[in-house]
Amino acid sequence: MNKRNWMQWAGIAVLGLGSVTLVWSAETPASLNGAKVISAEQAKKLHDGGTPFFDTRVAAEYAEKTIKGATSLTYKEKSAKAPDFDASQDQFDLSKLPANKAAPVVFFCNAGECWRSYKASAVAVKNGYTQVNWFRGGMPEWSAKGLPTQ
């Protein structure tokens, strides 16, 4: 969106809502208690070993391009993009994860300011999963390495 279009949109929002608060989300944390943050190389080894990968992005992003063999499991977030987010405001279908909570799993999204995989990983840890791998670099890192996509 160019500057003029953005200003027009913002003006419409201000007229329609009375006020607008713009919030820029911060980068996801570098670590997550209870989960292992993994690189593309580590993710590839888990992928080759058959560990299930869960793409927490929206369905349209998944349909456009994802890690080969990944399962779409959108993390529907309404909570703050913050380490102390309130998961009760969000929706995440834990029933799609392996029944064995000791089985390894990998969550990913679009890295950087995308909090979906961070939140999915945190929720899985909170619900007793013991081998949670958070692929923080997600699709951008995977694609940059030329790893298999579908």
Side-chain angles (χ1 to χ4, degrees), residues 97-115:
L97 298 181
N100 177 2
K101 292 185 177 188
V105 292
V106 175
F107 296 104
F108 69 94
C109 59
N110 283 327
E113 293 180 2
C114 180
W115 284 74

Side-chain angles (χ1 to χ4, degrees), residues 76-142:
K76 297 174 184 166
E77 60 182 340
K78 291 187 179 179
S79 64
K81 294 180 185 304
D84 62 346
F85 72 99
D86 180 359
S88 70
Q89 296 177 5
D90 302 335
Q91 292 180 352
F92 186 59
D93 188 359
L94 287 165
S95 72
K96 291 190 176 184
L97 298 181
N100 177 2
K101 292 185 177 188
V105 292
V106 175
F107 296 104
F108 69 94
C109 59
N110 283 327
E113 293 180 2
C114 180
W115 284 74
R116 294 173 189 274
S117 62
Y118 174 88
K119 291 178 177 184
S121 297
V123 168
V125 167
K126 185 176 181 181
N127 282 275
Y129 285 85
T130 59
Q131 290 194 58
V132 174
N133 296 279
W134 174 36
F135 181 24
R136 185 175 185 263
M139 280 306 300
E141 185 179 343
W142 187 267

Side-chain angles (χ1 to χ4, degrees), residues 55-68:
D55 186 338
T56 60
R57 302 173 306 157
V58 297
E61 291 172 305
Y62 173 83
E64 184 179 314
K65 181 178 177 181
T66 192
I67 292 173
K68 187 172 179 119

